[in-house]
Amino acid sequence: MSIIKLEHISKVYGFGNATTLALDDISLTVDKGEFVAIMGPSGSGKSTLLNIIGLLDRASQGTYVLDNRNVSRLRSNARAKARRDKIGFVFQSFNLLPRMTVIENVALPLAYRGMTTLRRLHRADQILEKIGLQSREYYYPRQLSGGQTQKVAIARALVNRPSLIIADEPTGNLDSASSEVIMELLSEIHHGENTIIMVTHNPDLTAYANRVIYMRDGRIHQDKDLKKHETADIKELHNAPSVDEEQLIAVRNAKAKKKLAKAAIK
Amino acid sequence: MIMTNIKMAQSSIKVSKVRSLLTMLGVVIGVASVVMIVALGEGVKNQVLSQISQLDKNVIAIRPGKAFDVGRTGGITHVNISSAVGTSTLSESDVSSIKALPGITSVSYSAMITGIASTIDAPNYANATIMATLPQNPNVLGQKLEFGEFFGENDMKANTAVIGSNIAADLFKIRDPIGRVMTIRGVEFTVRGVLAINPENPLNIGTNFNNAVYIPVGAGKDLVGNLQISELDAKVAKGYSVNQVSDKIHQTILSNHRGEEDFSIVKQAEYLNATNQVFGLLTNLVAAIAAISLLVGGIGIMNIMLASVSERTREIGVRKAVGATNNQILSQFLIEATVISVFGGVLGVLLSLLTTFAIRLTTTIRPSLSLTTILIATGVSTLVGIIFGMAPAIQAARKDPIEALRYE
């Protein structure tokens, strides 16, 4: 079952002669429960793609179906509500609100649903307990280590039970020990039937993903499934001939059908 | 959601206490000054009115000279100063012809005598208003005596005086200086009575009877020769219309003066009305000027909120990313501005309570602070917050989440 379905998505910045084509006719399907790593050099359109998938931005052209709903032409308020209900964000620079305590930060997305304070804090408390930060609930973000801060941010992303978690270089500001802790946590969340899309520059992190998408010049250059604990080889991805997205999708669909058929026989 | 927003506003005010207080200061001063000025205006007005309404409704006062012309529109066209300071146009024959009119119970007049009243203890006392008058005076003006008695018909040439309470206190340092002696223009006068205390007002419009020194008309004539009648008072009998009697008086004096209208007739109702209007107008005018500071306070709030919005761009980005709609961001900042201004308004009202209390303690002014004034002031300060918080809140709501998240 696909959770994200992008068809012929393009994004153009600027007007008149000064336009830049940030995304050039991208088609992509992501199934429920996938952990997709998006890689590529700077300026390849990773962030733009992530912003469009995360409904922070709108594509200039193309169709985007999120969780069986066409969201390509939603206005900003409708997109805000869709973000609130469907998407959790994890940022490179954590982006916790410094003047709120840990538990208030985690409960923040629920406030915009109009949930009562008591229920909000209760839900946030449950999530923090799961990720092992219950003892830090009334700390302020500045009193936490980098790894703990990112854990809180992940808790915030999980609190509204999103269909999709978007992580933009989640370990970019962390040392290697904390990075591992965070990636283990994301992996755990992935195994709990969550869909994760992560942008990263670090090829080692692809070991946690089951699929890698390599972007170049606003197009999907390579799209590869990864075996367990397999890391992607960046050079190989970069130098491989560009794939035909349409064909790729057809192949994937065929695979999925086979899987279903097998399951049916069993 | 509104409660959450108010809580968030409170916490963001708490975080930057000094800044929030300074932001509020404009509104605090604005509200405090408007409330205080209205309270002062109302207070003084009430005091003046209460002094005027001391005069009997049934008393008609006639003053010499025509103080002003009234144009066709009812506005004053000319003011004539000589009516107040020149030689009086009223004479004793006017007094006797008014006395003869039907519907008049008694008539009295007072004639100002320039000079000072002094004792050995207070040789240069300048506060006394010396007036020669008739024995009917307390009856016509409804004056009561605290001590002693007023002079009668047989005492018209006696060197005797009835004084106001301030004179008793200032010249003799006691409340009942009956039988004590004061000097007016070198002649000694014996105190025969002390008037009961009259309410005073800070402006002392008209005569302050607490500073009065009344001497008999005969003694006054011996002192200065020709008396200048500064006010003639006639009391209308029960069952007669004040307006009709005053028209009669008008005709009588007019014919006495060979058709020249060189006098003015004052009735208490008109006087009250005019005073009420003048003070109301003055209070509103000054309050309007003070309200400008409220406007400045509002601009102060807008300024700080704009700074706060750009400072918190990243916060706005995060909130939008986790699902805040534009309206939710708008209401957050609007409520924050409103909380600041309402809080400022409440502080302003408290400040005005303190200052009016201090004024009451240290001066003779009795400010009157009404609930309506306080409610209007807080209402206006709420409005100021909403109006001036709007622009920053709109700016916050319109921020693009991607750019806001990138903001350093």
Side-chain angles (χ1 to χ4, degrees):
Chain A
M1 204 183 97
S2 72
I3 197 137
I4 297 171
K5 207 165 157 193
L6 300 179
E7 280 169 352
H8 306 293
I9 290 282
S10 297
K11 179 72 187 178
V12 182
Y13 287 115
F15 298 97
N17 292 330
T19 51
T20 335
L21 192 59
L23 290 181
D24 182 8
D25 195 28
I26 281 189
S27 296
L28 173 69
T29 327
V30 175
D31 289 339
K32 193 170 188 294
E34 277 195 282
F35 190 156
V36 182
I38 300 179
M39 301 192 72
S42 317
S44 59
K46 301 185 303 279
S47 302
T48 310
L49 181 62
L50 208 65
N51 286 338
I52 287 174
I53 292 175
L55 289 173
L56 288 169
D57 206 349
R58 204 156 66 163
S60 312
Q61 264 174 10
T63 327
Y64 174 17
V65 177
L66 172 69
D67 218 3
N68 295 323
R69 182 180 174 208
N70 187 344
V71 292
S72 18
R73 312 259 32 109
L74 291 186
R75 295 192 159 265
S76 78
N77 273 346
R79 272 188 279 129
K81 281 178 189 154
R83 283 198 296 273
R84 180 190 75 191
D85 297 332
K86 303 271 179 207
I87 299 168
F89 286 93
V90 179
F91 302 96
Q92 177 178 4
S93 47
F94 321 133
N95 277 336
L96 296 183
L97 300 188
R99 293 184 295 192
M100 287 185 167
T101 59
V102 162
I103 193 165
E104 283 169 341
N105 263 293
V106 173
L108 183 66
L110 302 174
Y112 293 113
R113 279 189 177 180
M115 208 181 261
T116 62
T117 314
L118 202 69
R119 286 186 55 202
R120 244 157 45 207
L121 294 180
H122 182 65
R123 178 90 77 85
D125 174 66
Q126 284 178 330
I127 300 269
L128 283 166
E129 191 188 356
K130 258 186 213 161
I131 65 165
L133 274 177
Q134 203 178 20
S135 58
R136 297 284 188 272
E137 275 177 0
Y138 291 97
Y139 282 45
Y140 283 91
R142 61 172 184 276
Q143 297 166 312
L144 302 178
S145 70
Q148 285 173 329
T149 313
Q150 193 61 301
K151 272 186 160 185
V152 173
I154 290 172
R156 180 180 65 188
L158 287 173
V159 80
N160 53 2
R161 294 174 186 145
S163 344
L164 177 64
I165 291 166
I166 288 182
D168 189 358
E169 307 227 21
T171 60
N173 282 357
L174 298 175
D175 57 53
S176 52
S178 313
S179 292
E180 211 183 310
V181 172
I182 291 302
M183 287 316 296
E184 287 296 339
L185 180 59
L186 280 177
S187 173
E188 211 174 288
I189 291 164
H190 169 225
H191 292 309
E193 306 271 279
N194 284 294
T195 315
I196 302 177
I197 294 185
M198 173 181 75
V199 162
T200 180
H201 276 116
N202 184 352
D204 293 343
L205 299 187
T206 55
Y208 298 93
N210 66 346
R211 180 178 173 193
V212 64
I213 289 173
Y214 191 82
M215 294 193 65
R216 243 177 105 171
D217 303 325
R219 307 199 55 136
I220 293 179
H221 186 65
Q222 282 288 318
D223 186 343
K224 223 180 122 188
D225 283 335
L226 294 171
K227 294 191 190 92
K228 213 170 186 185
H229 303 308
E230 183 191 352
T231 43
D233 185 341
I234 283 233
K235 262 188 193 155
E236 192 194 308
L237 287 171
H238 191 78
N239 295 326
S242 177
V243 296
D244 183 338
E245 290 166 21
E246 298 284 335
Q247 204 183 336
L248 206 72
I249 284 171
V251 170
R252 297 188 78 86
N253 283 348
K255 259 190 202 169
K257 264 186 193 163
K258 254 188 206 169
K259 244 190 204 170
L260 275 177
K262 258 189 198 169
I265 290 165
K266 272 184 188 172
Chain B
M1 198 60 217
I2 284 176
M3 275 318 290
T4 317
N5 273 334
I6 290 176
K7 269 183 204 155
M8 282 196 289
Q10 276 173 340
S11 72
S12 79
I13 287 166
K14 257 188 231 155
V15 166
S16 43
K17 273 182 207 126
V18 175
R19 183 205 262 194
S20 305
L21 257 162
L22 287 175
T23 313
M24 276 173 212
L25 207 57
V27 177
V28 173
I29 291 171
V31 167
S33 51
V34 171
V35 171
M36 212 171 70
I37 282 165
V38 172
L40 281 181
E42 281 293 308
V44 172
K45 183 171 92 181
N46 290 345
Q47 280 173 274
V48 172
L49 290 185
S50 82
Q51 197 184 41
I52 293 170
S53 37
Q54 286 271 308
L55 298 175
D56 200 322
K57 273 205 298 291
N58 297 322
V59 172
I60 296 167
I62 301 108
R63 300 244 168 90
K66 185 112 180 113
F68 43 78
D69 285 336
V70 178
R72 271 188 302 125
T73 52
I76 293 169
T77 51
H78 300 101
V79 175
N80 191 347
I81 275 294
S82 70
S83 66
V85 294
T87 312
S88 178
T89 53
L90 297 174
S91 63
E92 292 207 13
S93 67
D94 292 325
V95 178
S96 41
S97 40
I98 290 171
K99 220 182 258 178
L101 287 173
I104 301 278
T105 45
S106 54
V107 177
S108 173
Y109 67 82
S110 45
M112 296 278 182
I113 289 171
T114 25
I116 61 167
S118 59
T119 57
I120 296 162
D121 288 339
N124 294 311
Y125 186 67
N127 246 343
T129 311
I130 306 163
M131 289 173 285
T133 191
L134 299 174
Q136 288 84 356
N137 205 56
N139 176 16
V140 176
L141 295 184
Q143 287 168 326
K144 292 198 172 56
L145 272 79
E146 184 85 41
F147 303 105
E149 56 177 11
F150 215 80
F151 36 79
E153 294 286 352
N154 299 332
D155 309 313
M156 288 312 279
K157 283 199 156 289
N159 287 343
T160 182
V162 173
I163 60 178
S165 54
N166 284 352
I167 303 294
D170 294 343
L171 281 184
F172 302 103
K173 320 288 180 208
I174 51 171
R175 289 177 65 200
D176 55 342
I178 308 294
R180 302 279 284 268
V181 172
M182 67 170 101
T183 313
I184 300 170
R185 289 198 169 191
V187 180
E188 289 189 336
F189 283 82
T190 312
V191 175
R192 176 175 286 199
V194 178
L195 295 170
I197 296 176
N198 273 283
E200 279 189 52
N201 71 65
L203 297 182
N204 274 327
I205 292 195
T207 312
N208 181 358
F209 292 115
N210 294 335
N211 286 349
V213 172
Y214 282 121
I215 59 172
V217 165
K221 277 179 186 162
D222 289 347
L223 216 54
V224 295
N226 207 355
L227 284 178
Q228 302 298 321
I229 298 179
S230 47
E231 184 172 314
L232 204 159
D233 300 295
K235 192 172 185 177
V236 179
K238 270 189 189 151
Y240 283 84
S241 140
V242 175
N243 284 337
Q244 275 172 18
V245 173
S246 98
D247 284 349
K248 270 267 163 50
I249 292 174
H250 186 256
Q251 285 165 17
T252 313
I253 307 181
L254 206 59
S255 72
N256 276 3
H257 292 198
R258 295 178 303 278
E260 279 180 38
E261 194 173 328
D262 51 3
F263 58 94
S264 332
I265 292 181
V266 182
K267 280 168 281 186
Q268 189 232 30
E270 284 172 2
Y271 201 18
L272 265 181
N273 218 349
T275 315
N276 209 343
Q277 274 179 10
V278 168
F279 272 91
L281 210 68
L282 272 178
T283 307
N284 288 347
L285 185 76
V286 184
I289 294 169
I292 292 173
S293 62
L294 209 59
L295 190 80
V296 176
I299 293 170
I301 288 184
M302 183 156 77
N303 188 15
I304 295 295
M305 287 306 293
L306 282 173
S308 162
V309 164
S310 87
E311 220 171 70
R312 286 154 71 185
T313 299
R314 212 187 168 88
E315 174 188 331
I316 295 166
V318 173
R319 287 178 183 277
K320 285 196 155 188
V322 302
T325 61
N326 290 355
N327 285 342
Q328 283 166 328
I329 298 288
L330 183 103
S331 64
Q332 181 196 339
F333 281 90
L334 200 57
I335 284 171
E336 200 168 311
T338 312
V339 166
I340 288 178
S341 69
V342 168
F343 202 64
V346 171
L347 282 184
V349 168
L350 289 180
L351 185 67
S352 67
L353 283 174
L354 275 178
T355 40
T356 47
F357 185 65
I359 288 171
R360 191 175 271 266
L361 283 184
T362 53
T363 68
T364 52
I365 302 174
R366 298 277 166 272
S368 91
L369 203 58
S370 72
L371 189 67
T372 338
T373 316
I374 290 174
L375 285 181
I376 288 175
T378 18
V380 166
S381 66
T382 314
L383 215 64
V384 162
I386 292 174
I387 290 170
F388 288 94
M390 206 41 137
I394 288 175
Q395 205 185 60
R398 281 194 186 154
K399 278 193 191 294
D400 175 50
I402 298 169
E403 271 165 37
L405 279 168
R406 244 183 250 145
Y407 186 87
E408 285 304 325

